[in-house]
Structure formats: C-alpha cells, structure tokens
Amino acid sequence: MMRNHSIDDDEYDYAEFILDIAVQDPASWLMDVPKILRFIHESLSDCTTSKHLKLFSVLCTLANEFPRELLISILTDLPTLDSTTLDIWKATLSLPMNSEKSLQELQNVLQDKRVCSFFEVNTVDLSTVHLAMMRPKDQILVDLCDPERLQVCLRLQSLPMLWLVLRALTMLSERPKMVSSEVRERSMLLFKDLMESVVWWRKGAMKTTVRRALIPLFFRMSDEAESVAKASAVVLLACTMFLKWKQLEHLAQNEDTTRITEYLLKQKSSRVDGYLQQSLLYLEDAQANLRQKAIKFIGLAVYHAGIQSEEKLNELIQALQPVTEDVDTSVCVLAAQTILRLRRRIKRPIPLWVQLAELFCWPCIARAYGSV
C-alpha cells in the first residue's frame, strides 16, 4: 500500500497505522529483517519523498533491535551496485545508535564468514575497513594504512563497501605524509567506479559532481607520478563520456592538454568562473609543475573569458602575489609576469618601477644571486 501511488488517503493512513504498530512492537512484526529491508528498498525507489521519513523510522527500529542482521542483510540481500542500497547503508551508519557498540557490530559483520564468502574475500581483507567510521586518531590511521587490503576492497562490486573504502582513503589523504601517488591514483579510480555505477535517476545530481572533477583530473594529468597522470587521463575520459561531451571526449582520448584548456575556458562564464576558483587551489600544490600549470591556467582563463572587472582582476593578483616568492625560481617568475599582464587589463596606469620589479621578479633574482 505504501508503494501504491493510486491508493486513497484512508488506505494510506491505514498503511501508516500498521507501520506505527510494527515500530512499537518490532520483536513481533519486524523479525524477518531481509524481507522488511527489501520492502524498504523497493518502497524508497518507488514512493514519493513525503513517505521516506516513515520508512526510515522503520529502518531506525531495525538498526536498534537487530543491528547485526540489518548490516549483513544490506550487504548481501540488496542490489550491491544500487544507489538506494547505498542510501540505506549511509543512513544506517549515521543513525544515533552509531556508538562504540554499533561500530563493534560493524567490525563483527565485516569479519562474518557469510559476508566474506559473499564478497569472496577472507576476514583479514575486511578486518580494518570498519575503522573508516571512527575518529581519525594517529593509531587508527596507522592500522588503516594497509595498501594491499585497501586495493582488495577497491575491487569489490559493492557501493556500501566502496563507500567505506572512500572514507578510509579520505582520512588517509588528509595526513601530510599520505598525499602519495598511490592514494591519488586509487581515489581517482574509485571515483570512476562510483560514477559509472550511479542509477539513471541520480545522473542529474551526479553530473554536477563530475563537472567539478574535471579541473582536478585535468591538473593531475601533469602529475609527476606517471601512474597518477595515467589514471587522471583515464578517469577524465570516463567523465567526458558520462557527460556526453563528444568534442572533449576526443581531446581527452588524445590527451591534448592545450586544446582541453581552450575547450574548458570557452564554456559559459559561470562554469569558467568555477574552474578558475578551483585552479587557485593548485597555487599551493607541493609539485612545482602543477603550480606552474595553475598560473598559466589563470592567465588563459582571464584572456579567454575576457575578464575586465577590476575587482576580479585584483582578487586574482592578490592570490598570485605570494607565489612571486615561491621556492622554485621558474614559478615565481611566471607568477610575476602573469600579475603584470593582469594589471595591464586594469584601466589605471601602472608605475614603471612596479612593472620593472614584477617583470624581472626581484625576489627571485635576489635569491638566485644569493645562492651563487
């Protein structure tokens, strides 16, 4: 009755009444966890948003009364590559019952023989993934950092499991010594898997996420780690196919970075502004070649987008100013030259000494002479 869109108000009220009784006495009504869970899954896929809260109240009751059975059933009884399954999984792990007891339950479930047999892995492979739900303390991150196990888990055909691994990678990537090529590469490939598994009715929301991923992937095509650069190119191509941008797909296939830049900067102004803001983040990247790429991208963005706003130009100049003291001489020279070009677009005349100072980048020259 909950799934039936054609029922009248009286019938729907009766369905809600039955659900309320079930929630009040779960031991009598909700013992068949897999069956109830499949009902929730089917109903969430079919019913309107207004009915979701009622269904999630049933899910909350199941999580409190039968946490182990519920977690196992989500992993083994529901479609594994389905976004509704992922919604149920995330909702379950974010409920108020998500305490140390529930985390212990999650650990037990991930070592359950039925679950391991279902995914065709051993208990050791899944033994640490539950740590992704805990606070990222140093010891937890040390225990979680096992590349071989994470690689095994990344191959699992299950959105709930991939979501846990993604959380783990996010936690690890926030450690200064773990912004490694392996973490970057695996994160990109995981994003590709998630993108390609999204169901049709979620594609609209996913397109926004994919568009935001274009600039990071494009920049990482110049990563100093060859494996990361290669993975970036592969995932960027997958994004163009997902978006159905044929021209960009062709350019991505050929890895034509110059024309990719031009393509991205010839889109509507709102997108270009977003790309420009993303590029600013790479001015602080650890790799000098990526800092250089960010500076060049900013200069090209101003030119292709025809940015004339004094406020916007000053904002970009301010962002580039610290880079004129970069440890890499080529980076600070490029930043100084770009600042000079941006200032020329501003109507006010620039004093000659300022032009000369920025053109020759005095801080860089001073450092160069000091090191001789």
Side-chain angles (χ1 to χ4, degrees):
M1 292 175 70
M2 288 287 291
R3 292 196 298 266
N4 187 354
H5 296 286
S6 62
I7 64 174
D8 59 31
D9 291 341
D10 290 339
E11 289 175 314
Y12 179 71
D13 290 342
Y14 179 71
E16 281 199 321
F17 172 71
I18 294 298
L19 281 180
D20 288 337
I21 292 177
V23 168
Q24 292 172 16
D25 187 13
S28 301
W29 287 80
L30 303 178
M31 290 185 65
D32 192 342
V33 174
K35 186 175 181 179
I36 300 298
L37 186 59
R38 284 192 293 270
F39 159 76
I40 293 174
H41 179 275
E42 293 172 9
S43 300
L44 286 173
S45 301
D46 295 337
C47 74
T48 60
T49 305
S50 61
K51 301 176 184 177
H52 284 192
L53 290 177
K54 181 62 66 175
L55 293 168
F56 275 112
S57 71
V58 179
L59 183 67
C60 182
T61 302
L62 288 176
N64 284 312
E65 294 293 325
F66 315 105
R68 185 185 184 91
E69 292 84 348
L70 176 61
L71 292 172
I72 292 177
S73 187
I74 295 173
L75 292 173
T76 61
D77 292 318
L78 297 183
T80 57
L81 295 177
D82 178 86
S83 58
T84 302
T85 300
L86 180 59
D87 288 342
I88 292 174
W89 177 254
K90 291 193 293 185
T92 301
L93 294 182
S94 63
L95 288 169
M97 48 74 68
N98 187 19
S99 58
E100 294 218 357
K101 179 182 177 182
S102 63
L103 290 173
Q104 182 63 48
E105 200 63 73
L106 177 61
Q107 181 182 16
N108 294 336
V109 165
L110 294 177
Q111 296 181 67
D112 187 280
K113 291 183 178 180
R114 287 174 292 171
V115 173
C116 293
S117 176
F118 181 82
F119 290 117
E120 298 181 350
V121 293
N122 58 51
T123 56
V124 176
D125 291 329
L126 300 182
S127 61
T128 57
V129 185
H130 76 284
L131 296 173
M133 295 302 299
M134 301 180 72
R135 288 188 176 183
K137 296 179 181 178
D138 287 342
Q139 187 56 51
I140 289 175
L141 293 173
V142 170
D143 294 341
L144 187 57
C145 185
D146 190 323
E148 291 185 6
R149 291 181 187 173
L150 292 178
Q151 288 183 36
V152 169
C153 295
L154 279 173
R155 291 194 290 269
L156 298 178
Q157 297 295 302
S158 166
L159 287 186
M161 291 304 304
L162 289 174
W163 181 75
L164 280 178
V165 181
L166 180 60
R167 284 180 61 98
L169 287 172
T170 300
M171 288 166 61
L172 291 173
S173 67
E174 291 173 353
R175 301 178 71 193
K177 64 180 180 180
M178 286 299 294
V179 186
S180 68
S181 59
E182 187 171 19
V183 171
R184 294 196 295 273
E185 178 187 355
R186 293 296 171 180
S187 299
M188 292 172 191
L189 296 176
L190 177 57
F191 175 76
K192 177 176 178 289
D193 289 341
L194 290 173
M195 175 181 64
E196 293 177 344
S197 62
V198 69
V199 293
W200 69 267
W201 56 279
R202 291 293 184 111
K203 285 188 181 291
M206 191 64 184
K207 283 183 179 179
T208 302
T209 302
V210 172
R211 283 196 293 267
R212 284 201 299 265
L214 295 178
I215 289 298
L217 290 170
F218 173 63
F219 272 75
R220 286 298 167 190
M221 286 176 67
S222 302
D223 198 283
E224 61 188 15
E226 185 178 350
S227 61
V228 175
K230 184 177 179 180
S232 300
V234 169
V235 181
L236 179 64
L237 177 59
C239 288
T240 64
M241 296 171 68
F242 181 89
L243 295 170
K244 297 182 180 179
W245 291 1
K246 295 297 183 182
Q247 185 180 350
L248 186 58
E249 179 183 340
H250 174 72
L251 298 176
Q253 284 177 332
N254 296 323
E255 298 185 23
D256 189 340
T257 55
T258 300
R259 294 185 64 190
I260 289 174
T261 301
E262 293 176 356
Y263 179 92
L264 292 173
L265 294 177
K266 287 180 179 178
Q267 297 185 55
K268 58 184 182 181
S269 58
S270 60
R271 286 183 186 169
V272 173
D273 188 60
Y275 297 153
L276 187 57
Q277 292 301 318
Q278 285 181 296
S279 69
L280 293 176
L281 299 175
Y282 290 89
L283 293 175
E284 301 178 5
D285 195 272
Q287 298 181 29
N289 62 320
L290 290 184
R291 297 198 297 277
Q292 282 188 1
K293 188 167 185 174
I295 296 169
K296 292 177 182 177
F297 188 89
I298 291 167
L300 288 170
V302 170
Y303 171 76
H304 283 288
I307 297 175
Q308 297 289 346
S309 166
E310 184 173 334
E311 181 181 356
K312 185 65 176 180
L313 290 170
N314 281 327
E315 179 187 331
L316 295 174
I317 290 170
Q318 188 175 2
L320 286 167
Q321 201 69 54
V323 195
T324 60
E325 299 182 11
D326 195 276
V327 294
D328 188 288
T329 302
S330 61
V331 173
C332 69
V333 169
L334 181 60
Q337 292 173 342
T338 303
I339 287 175
L340 182 58
R341 286 196 295 270
L342 296 183
R343 280 194 168 144
R344 282 174 178 163
R345 297 182 72 90
I346 300 175
K347 302 293 185 182
R348 289 195 309 252
I350 306 172
L352 180 60
W353 70 269
V354 173
Q355 296 185 46
L356 290 173
E358 291 180 340
L359 179 62
F360 293 104
C361 194
W362 299 130
C364 297
I365 295 175
R367 278 206 305 275
Y369 275 108
S371 62
V372 175

